[in-house]
Amino acid sequence: MINYQGTSLYRGIPIDFVDRSNWVAVVGARKADREELNAAYQLAYKIASTGRVVVSGLALGIDTVAHQAAVDAKGKTIAIVNTPSSQPIYPKQNRILAQDIQTCGGIIFPYSSKAVEAEKKGISHFSKRLIERDLLLAHLCPTIVTVKTGNTTITGGTKWSFNEGAKVGKKLFLYDTQGTFHSSPSYEERKIHWNMEMNINQIIKNLEELSFCS
């Protein structure tokens, strides 16, 4: 594991965090159907096979098959999670996959304290971190792709990456199950309504400094 000022920020093989021009985020629904999962796998496999880095959030569904495809292609993949390195990987179904990811890429742990799952009102601390994780992904990757059956409005957790990606000028695509890319797809607009726990700019700076230590 690589440490930054005593904080376990990244675990995996050495990665160039400064030049991220070949990073591609592949994200999507946790409850994707079989056609969407197959399309996401084929897309991520092709991306990884061409030397680009597949980035996702290690969630179930699209994220899982995107990471797995990159591993199978013997390419590079990076997962961004909402838990610290001292806490078990979430979700538990992806803990073996997380180990595989670290052999051909790595896992970014933006937080150093434990994520709390329960909250009486509103969005839980755990869920807020999942959303903030999506925003960090949007800042790190110049290209963001989601996979859906048709060119329909992007909703669910995926919308957060697209909202932030549009805000900071990233290339946004929807890849449908027929193999067609749709640029600048429509997405449900949302804004963060809490004081973010994560300092995105600081996290990116810390990661970039790790490149000189790897």
Side-chain angles (χ1 to χ4, degrees):
M1 185 190 300
I2 299 174
N3 295 324
Y4 180 81
Q5 293 183 348
T7 299
S8 300
L9 178 60
Y10 173 77
R11 179 186 292 164
I13 66 172
I15 290 287
D16 184 355
F17 291 107
V18 176
D19 181 7
R20 302 188 302 275
S21 58
N22 66 338
W23 288 27
V24 181
V26 180
V27 295
R30 287 172 172 79
K31 296 182 179 180
D33 62 35
R34 182 175 297 179
E35 287 188 350
E36 291 169 333
L37 294 173
N38 287 339
Y41 182 93
Q42 296 300 326
L43 174 64
Y45 192 98
K46 187 176 297 184
I47 290 170
S49 297
T50 58
R52 287 170 286 183
V53 181
V54 174
V55 182
S56 200
L58 201 58
L60 296 177
I62 298 295
D63 290 18
T64 295
V65 298
H67 289 303
Q68 187 63 61
V71 171
D72 293 346
K74 302 186 185 307
K76 290 183 178 179
T77 184
I78 293 174
I80 306 172
V81 299
N82 75 325
T83 52
S85 59
S86 59
Q87 192 172 350
I89 288 291
Y90 171 83
K92 64 181 180 180
Q93 294 94 323
N94 280 346
R95 288 174 187 170
I96 293 176
L97 176 58
Q99 295 175 8
D100 293 338
I101 289 171
Q102 293 170 61
T103 66
C104 62
I107 302 175
I108 295 172
F109 299 91
Y111 302 100
S112 58
S113 62
K114 183 177 180 180
V116 181
E117 297 192 42
E119 190 165 297
K120 292 182 179 180
K121 294 182 179 180
I123 303 175
S124 72
H125 177 237
F126 193 85
S127 296
K128 286 177 181 177
R129 283 188 171 186
L130 286 172
I131 294 170
E132 292 182 12
R133 177 273 313 272
D134 292 339
L135 271 57
L136 174 60
L137 176 146
H139 280 260
L140 286 170
C141 301
T143 303
I144 305 171
V145 185
T146 191
V147 181
K148 288 173 65 70
T149 298
N151 186 16
T152 56
T153 300
I154 297 166
T155 58
T158 309
K159 65 177 176 283
W160 292 102
S161 293
F162 276 74
N163 272 273
E164 192 70 9
K167 178 181 173 182
V168 295
K170 302 306 177 80
K171 296 178 181 178
L172 307 177
F173 295 95
L174 184 152
Y175 182 75
D176 67 29
T177 53
Q178 301 303 309
T180 301
F181 282 97
H182 305 270
S183 62
S184 302
S186 62
Y187 52 86
E188 187 178 16
E189 295 187 6
R190 284 291 186 272
K191 292 183 179 180
I192 296 292
H193 57 80
W194 61 87
N195 293 324
M196 284 184 56
E197 180 181 1
M198 179 194 298
N199 184 324
I200 290 176
N201 291 331
Q202 187 63 53
I203 291 292
I204 293 175
K205 179 182 178 182
N206 293 354
L207 287 169
E208 290 176 342
E209 290 185 5
L210 285 180
S211 294
F212 301 100
C213 302
S214 59

